[in-house]
Amino acid sequence: TLAPAVKNFTLNFTITNLRFTADLQNPNSRRFKSTEKVMYHYVDPLLQGSSIGPAYIGCKVMAFRSTKNRDDTGVDAMCSCRDGPSDPKFDRTTIYHELSKMTNGITKLGHYSLNSQSLYVNG
């Protein structure tokens, strides 16, 4: 039998209480690695609890970036789910709405505050 295909999608959001610093741009820095681990701690359970949960594989933080308000930090992640015939179908609108509900209207991710206009799911 063939292995199910993998569907990749991007997840972007802005954290308003994580000051962006240059070391967040370096994937080898201690600050990048520790912040990346915290992101997995919060993001993975959200996506596992979403409508794609049974097919959810995981996310990888691709970058932390400066935003217009330099005190904020943008997060860019690449996420994956299985796309087999019996797997839940990926629907970016549904995922967006579920993540919005799970983050209190796109305002809280664990101890982080989010810019409520910043969540973007692209499939």
Side-chain angles (χ1 to χ4, degrees):
T1 63
L2 294 173
V6 173
K7 171 84 173 169
N8 292 320
F9 61 98
T10 58
L11 181 63
N12 312 94
F13 53 91
T14 300
I15 300 170
T16 59
N17 63 338
L18 175 64
R19 185 178 184 89
F20 181 80
T21 57
D23 54 347
L24 280 172
Q25 286 182 300
N26 178 358
N28 297 315
S29 75
R30 190 180 308 157
R31 186 153 192 241
F32 182 102
K33 289 178 186 297
S34 66
T35 306
E36 178 184 42
K37 283 180 187 173
V38 172
M39 288 299 108
Y40 295 139
H41 175 75
Y42 291 130
V43 172
D44 271 0
L46 287 180
L47 288 169
Q48 287 169 358
S50 73
S51 62
I52 62 163
Y56 177 67
I57 295 171
C59 287
K60 170 147 182 55
V61 172
M62 304 306 288
F64 294 107
R65 60 184 154 67
S66 177
T67 61
K68 289 177 190 170
N69 176 354
R70 295 186 185 271
D71 286 343
D72 299 348
T73 297
V75 179
D76 301 324
M78 178 65 67
C79 304
S80 302
C81 60
R82 289 185 306 277
D83 192 21
S86 62
D87 292 315
K89 291 298 169 218
F90 174 82
D91 174 357
R92 74 180 182 157
T93 303
T94 300
I95 296 300
Y96 176 91
H97 289 296
E98 288 182 32
L99 290 176
S100 175
K101 280 191 275 182
M102 294 176 185
T103 57
N104 196 28
I106 315 168
T107 60
K108 292 299 259 180
L109 182 64
H111 65 271
Y112 291 115
S113 298
L114 303 178
N115 175 326
S116 64
Q117 303 301 307
S118 70
L119 179 63
Y120 182 69
V121 179
N122 183 18

